Amino acid sequence: MRSRSDKISQINTPYAQQMTVNQQLVRRAHIKRCKRILLIFSVVFLLLGFQIIQSKRSLAKIEASIRTSKTQLARQRDIGKDLKQEKKQLHNPDYLQQIIRSKYNYTKKGETVYNLDN
């Protein structure tokens, strides 16, 4: 059995040649246009990808600074609680007397203080 392409032949008239040339020009124009569009899309894609990467990096930096700020805040809150506790204890006369005696070597009348080195 013969294939169909064996039965078909091209007409070599000037009009057919002109149409073939026109089709080739149109095809080349389409290919050139497609290449330009792909180039533009790839440039836009690269720019947007770069911006996404930059935003992720800045987000990571901000999250790291937030974590350090939270740890500092927790430390300051602990210090604040300790200071409030100490303030509360300073209203207690026995504790106040103990602090004055230990820090400032305060004595009552007739007492003698001995400092021993460890």
Side-chain angles (χ1 to χ4, degrees):
M1 195 162 177
R2 289 181 152 180
S3 64
R4 269 186 114 161
S5 63
D6 291 344
K7 296 180 183 179
I8 299 173
S9 64
Q10 225 177 10
I11 301 175
N12 286 329
T13 62
Y15 176 76
Q17 290 174 353
Q18 183 64 34
M19 290 302 290
T20 304
V21 169
N22 284 344
Q23 286 177 350
Q24 288 175 349
L25 290 175
V26 168
R27 186 168 181 89
R28 286 182 192 152
H30 283 294
I31 290 172
K32 197 181 274 188
R33 218 176 283 140
C34 286
K35 286 181 181 178
R36 286 180 185 164
I37 290 172
L38 284 174
L39 178 68
I40 289 171
F41 277 124
S42 62
V43 167
V44 169
F45 180 75
L46 288 174
L47 288 174
L48 293 176
F50 181 72
Q51 287 180 349
I52 289 171
I53 290 170
Q54 288 287 23
S55 65
K56 283 191 175 192
R57 283 184 183 169
S58 65
L59 178 65
K61 286 180 183 177
I62 290 171
E63 286 176 348
S65 68
I66 287 173
R67 271 186 258 120
T68 57
S69 297
K70 283 184 177 181
T71 57
Q72 288 176 354
L73 177 63
R75 273 192 244 130
Q76 292 299 324
R77 283 185 177 163
D78 290 342
I79 291 171
K81 286 178 184 177
D82 292 342
L83 289 175
K84 283 182 182 178
Q85 183 66 27
E86 190 174 340
K87 178 184 169 188
K88 202 183 251 186
Q89 287 178 343
L90 285 175
H91 293 292
N92 184 356
D94 294 333
Y95 178 76
L96 186 60
Q97 186 178 18
Q98 179 186 358
I99 294 292
I100 291 173
R101 284 175 175 262
S102 66
K103 275 190 176 179
Y104 305 110
N105 294 328
Y106 180 78
T107 59
K108 292 182 179 179
K109 288 185 181 179
E111 279 186 337
T112 307
V113 176
Y114 296 103
N115 290 328
L116 302 173
D117 292 332
N118 291 340

